[in-house]
């Protein structure tokens, strides 16, 4: 499974240029400009950091520098302790969308880099922060930053740390001549942020390589203008969001495929080599987008020629119930191959259930059938489970004409629809996990020379029959199967038709798991 991407932790930071000391009169003091700082189109929006520990500031929505203690703005640093919680910086705009924030990482001693005033698609001003180095950028890289504009000429410091405080140094140290070491450092530092690379106009190849490494786009340093940069920021943010959504979708698909492979591997493969019986099964979990539910079944043939079949149902529909059903199925197969049957087998299965279940309220119903090697009789055990349905061929009385033939061209009689009925269920025991020291008597039933035996879970009989509260029930299921047998349906076709009709009668997908197993003996 793809690992969910954790939410990035906001890092408290003091942004230089906004850590203004209070004036003696109690009002905010304006920081002095510093060379090389970020400036806007209007003189009033020019942003400057201090030259001491010189973090750079952030413009407010009017283009004026933010101030500690000013109305409507939360200062970063100063008497407020450097928190990023003011409504002007973390609130939403009037149309309910969060304003964009751009972090510019550049070190230009000449002060030639000028970032114009930027606007988002709604016309709201894009907030700008600046950092002179990556250490300072890490402090300013809070959750409200959506995009980073990185000067590729900036040099890389030592090993990076991510915003979660862990080391971001991945693999060997970058080569001394790696021109994109700074970009790689930033991509490790901010894996969930859109990144724009800034490069000289004559270095197109380096910009293209930056995109191949992981940047969303590259811009030429001497061609920055308001429209170009605003559009590039918006597009980079949207591309990053699209990339993340596509990655999550891909991870979700891979996880679903892995789960599907796992669940298919947990479904049983019947072991009937050497048996003349024909096997068919139908399985439909009640959980959406699942292949495995709380229902389970299995069929094996032991060395003495006996064919053992089982079907069961763990109460509930979640993945825990599905896992418990798999455990019980595997335990049943192992115990059956070890020679256990009847009460001894079910008593042992109850012990397995009691040890593996998460709650004392969890129980499971079970039906086991062991068919003699000659196929004419079977032992039946029911643990709170519906009785199997058996169908046999039947002949009506002879309708012989004067020429000695019957009315359909046969001799001696006409073929009647098969007879379908439930096996005896009066001597069944309780569901597994309900009563300690319970007993499950084994009933001997006669099958005959030709028959079809259907084992099923209650999902097949508890579906509704229309808009009312009436359910199909066992009698309704018997009538349905009789009608389908009369239509000549057998094996897989019969099971498919039965499950589809139950779903149609229910008016949509069944909420409970459905498992149906069919064994046919045709001489």
């Amino acid at each position: 499974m793809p690992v969910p991407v954790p939410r990035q932790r906001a890092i408290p930071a003091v942004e230089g240029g906004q850590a203004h000391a209070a004036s003696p009169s109690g009002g905010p003091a304006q920081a002095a400009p510093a060379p090389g700082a970020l400036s806007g189109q209007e003189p009033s929006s020019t942003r400057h950091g201090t030259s001491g520990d010189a973090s750079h500031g952030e413009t407010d929505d009017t283009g004026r520098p933010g101030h500690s203690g000013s109305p409507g703005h939360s200062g970063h640093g100063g008497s407020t302790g450097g928190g990023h919680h003011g409504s002007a910086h973390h609130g939403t705009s009037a149309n309910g969308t969060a304003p964009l924030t751009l972090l510019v990482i550049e070190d230009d001693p000449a002060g030639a880099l000028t970032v114009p005033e930027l606007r988002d698609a709604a016309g709201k001003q894009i907030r700008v922060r600046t950092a002179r180095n990556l250490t300072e950028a890490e402090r300013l890289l809070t959750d409200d930053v959506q995009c980073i504009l990185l000067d590729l000429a900036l040099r890389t410091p030592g090993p990076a740390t991510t915003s979660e405080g862990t080391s971001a140094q991945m693999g060997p140290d970058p080569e001394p001549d790696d021109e994109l070491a700074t970009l790689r450092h930033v991509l490790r530092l901010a894996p969930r942020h859109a990144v724009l690379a800034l490069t000289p106009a004559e270095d197109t190849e380096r910009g293209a390589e930056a995109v191949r490494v992981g940047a969303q786009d590259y811009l030429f340093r001497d061609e920055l203008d308001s429209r170009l940069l605003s559009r590039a920021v918006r597009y980079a943010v949207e591309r990053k969001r699209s990339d993340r959504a596509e990655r999550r979708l891909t991870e979700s698909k891979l996880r679903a495929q892995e789960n599907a492979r796992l669940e298919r591997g947990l479904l049983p493969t019947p072991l009937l080599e050497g048996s003349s019986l024909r096997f068919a099964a139908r399985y439909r979990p009640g959980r959406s987008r699942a292949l495995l539910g709380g229902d389970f079944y299995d069929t094996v043939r032991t060395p003495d020629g006996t064919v053992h079949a089982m079907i069961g149902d763990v109460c509930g529909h979640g993945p825990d119930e599905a896992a418990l059903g798999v455990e019980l199925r595997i335990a049943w197969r192992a115990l059956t191959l070890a020679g256990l049957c009847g009460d001894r087998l079910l008593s042992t299965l109850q012990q397995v259930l009691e040890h593996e279940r998460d709650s004392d309220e969890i129980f499971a119903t079970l039906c086991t059938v062991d068919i003699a090697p000659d196929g004419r009789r079977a032992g039946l055990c029911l643990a709170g489970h519906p009785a199997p349905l058996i169908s046999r061929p039947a002949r009506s009385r002879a309708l012989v004409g004067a020429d000695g033939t019957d009315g359909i061209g046969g001799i001696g009689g006409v073929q009647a629809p098969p007879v379908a009925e439930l096996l005896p269920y009066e001597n069944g025991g309780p569901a597994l996990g309900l009563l300690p020291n319970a007993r499950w008597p084994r009933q001997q039933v006669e099958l005959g020379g030709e028959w079809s035996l259907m084992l099923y879970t209650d999902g097949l009989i508890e579906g509704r029959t229309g808009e009312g509260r009436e359910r199909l029930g066992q009698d309704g299921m018997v009538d349905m199967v009789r009608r389908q047998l009369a239509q000549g349906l057998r094996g897989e076709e019969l099971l498919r038709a039965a499950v589809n009709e139950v779903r149609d009668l229910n008016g949509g997908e069944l909420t409970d798991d459905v498992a149906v197993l069919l064994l046919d003996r045709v001489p």
Side-chain angles (χ1 to χ4, degrees):
M1 294 182 358
V3 178
V5 178
R7 182 178 181 274
Q8 181 171 336
R9 178 176 62 85
I11 302 177
V14 176
E15 296 185 66
Q18 286 192 220
H20 307 288
S23 64
S25 61
Q30 183 72 32
L38 181 68
S39 61
Q41 289 179 327
E42 302 294 335
S44 62
S45 64
T46 303
R47 304 303 313 274
H48 299 287
T50 59
S51 58
D53 48 30
S55 295
H56 294 267
E58 172 184 339
T59 58
D60 63 17
D61 293 339
T62 64
R64 296 187 300 273
H67 302 287
S68 173
S70 60
H73 300 276
S74 173
H76 302 269
S79 61
T80 62
H84 295 271
H85 305 289
S87 60
H89 297 295
H90 293 273
T92 57
S93 62
N95 61 7
T97 60
L100 289 175
T101 300
L102 173 69
L103 175 61
V104 180
I105 309 176
E106 59 86 21
D107 183 13
D108 184 9
L113 178 61
T114 299
V115 177
E117 182 178 284
L118 308 177
R119 298 282 175 178
D120 61 17
K124 189 172 181 62
Q125 185 172 349
I126 297 175
R127 302 181 303 192
V128 179
R129 298 176 187 168
T130 59
R132 291 294 191 99
N133 53 59
L134 296 183
T135 302
E136 182 179 325
E138 185 179 358
R139 293 202 305 269
L140 299 180
L141 191 61
T142 51
D143 283 347
D144 59 333
V145 174
Q146 293 92 357
C147 186
I148 298 171
L149 178 63
L150 172 66
D151 186 354
L152 295 181
L154 194 71
R155 295 190 60 82
T156 307
T161 55
T162 65
S163 55
E164 284 80 8
T166 59
S167 174
Q169 188 68 39
M170 300 173 63
D173 294 334
E175 297 295 331
D177 57 349
D178 185 0
E179 295 182 341
L180 297 178
T182 301
L183 174 61
R184 300 179 198 276
H185 185 100
V186 169
L187 292 174
R188 292 194 296 266
L189 190 69
R192 291 176 293 278
H193 292 72
V195 177
L196 290 170
L198 196 62
T199 184
E202 64 274 8
D203 204 354
T204 304
E205 182 58 35
R206 190 179 183 189
E209 181 63 24
V211 174
R212 285 193 289 269
V213 168
Q216 272 59 58
D217 204 349
Y218 69 93
L219 302 170
F220 296 135
R221 184 184 183 93
D222 53 354
E223 293 182 4
L224 293 182
D225 61 46
S226 177
R227 177 179 296 183
L228 175 63
L229 185 53
S230 296
R231 184 175 61 181
V233 170
R234 297 198 304 268
Y235 285 5
V237 170
E238 291 306 319
R239 277 196 295 270
K240 187 66 175 180
R241 289 173 179 168
S242 176
D243 290 344
R244 292 176 61 189
E246 184 176 357
R247 184 174 65 252
R248 287 195 296 268
L249 178 61
T250 301
E251 291 173 348
S252 177
K253 289 181 178 179
L254 292 175
R255 182 171 63 246
Q257 292 172 2
E258 182 179 342
N259 290 342
R261 287 193 298 269
L262 176 63
E263 291 181 333
R264 279 194 294 269
L266 294 175
L267 289 173
T269 300
L271 301 179
L272 288 174
E273 185 177 357
S275 173
S276 62
L277 300 183
R278 295 185 304 189
F279 171 88
R282 197 79 174 165
Y283 194 94
R284 184 188 295 270
R287 287 187 298 139
S288 175
R289 299 182 181 181
L291 293 179
L292 202 63
D295 291 2
F296 54 99
Y297 67 90
D298 205 351
T299 306
V300 298
R301 181 177 183 267
T302 48
D304 64 354
T306 302
V307 172
H308 303 263
M310 172 272 293
I311 196 165
D313 182 3
V314 177
C315 66
H317 312 290
D320 291 340
E321 289 77 12
L324 182 56
V326 171
E327 292 181 76
L328 292 176
R329 180 188 69 78
I330 294 174
W332 176 87
R333 175 175 284 200
L335 294 171
T336 299
L337 293 175
L340 275 67
C341 68
D343 183 73
R344 289 180 59 204
L345 187 149
L346 269 66
S347 297
T348 308
L349 281 181
Q350 173 157 285
Q351 295 180 39
V352 173
L353 172 66
E354 291 171 346
H355 284 91
E356 296 297 329
R357 63 185 177 183
D358 294 332
S359 167
D360 291 343
E361 298 177 354
I362 300 296
F363 63 90
T365 66
L366 197 71
C367 168
T368 67
V369 176
D370 51 281
I371 303 169
D374 63 4
R376 303 187 65 88
R377 60 189 181 280
L380 171 67
C381 285
L382 296 175
H385 200 88
L389 182 149
I390 187 169
S391 62
R392 304 180 181 93
R395 288 185 177 274
S396 68
R397 62 188 180 187
L399 299 175
V400 183
D403 58 356
T405 63
D406 58 38
I408 59 173
I411 298 178
V414 296
Q415 184 70 35
V419 175
E421 59 186 355
L422 297 175
L423 288 180
Y425 54 87
E426 293 81 5
N427 294 327
L432 303 181
L434 288 183
L435 299 175
N437 303 318
R439 290 291 178 265
W440 295 271
R442 179 176 176 273
Q443 307 173 66
Q444 191 75 18
V445 294
E446 294 296 326
L447 301 179
E450 182 177 350
W451 47 265
S452 179
L453 189 63
M454 189 172 81
L455 285 66
Y456 55 92
T457 58
D458 59 7
L460 189 68
I461 60 177
E462 291 189 350
R464 301 188 184 279
T465 57
E467 298 181 357
R469 300 182 61 85
E470 184 178 355
R471 299 185 182 275
L472 179 64
Q474 285 182 289
D475 292 339
M477 180 201 65
V478 172
D479 292 340
M480 177 188 70
V481 172
R482 284 173 179 166
R483 184 175 64 256
Q484 293 167 344
L485 288 170
Q487 296 171 1
L489 300 179
R490 299 292 186 274
E492 290 279 1
E493 290 184 350
L494 175 63
L495 296 188
R496 186 183 306 110
V499 174
N500 289 343
E501 183 169 341
V502 169
R503 182 188 59 190
D504 293 341
L505 290 172
N506 189 61
E509 290 295 339
L510 300 166
T511 57
D512 198 3
D513 305 326
V514 177
V516 192
L517 184 155
L518 192 66
L519 289 171
D520 292 320
R521 182 176 189 265
V522 180

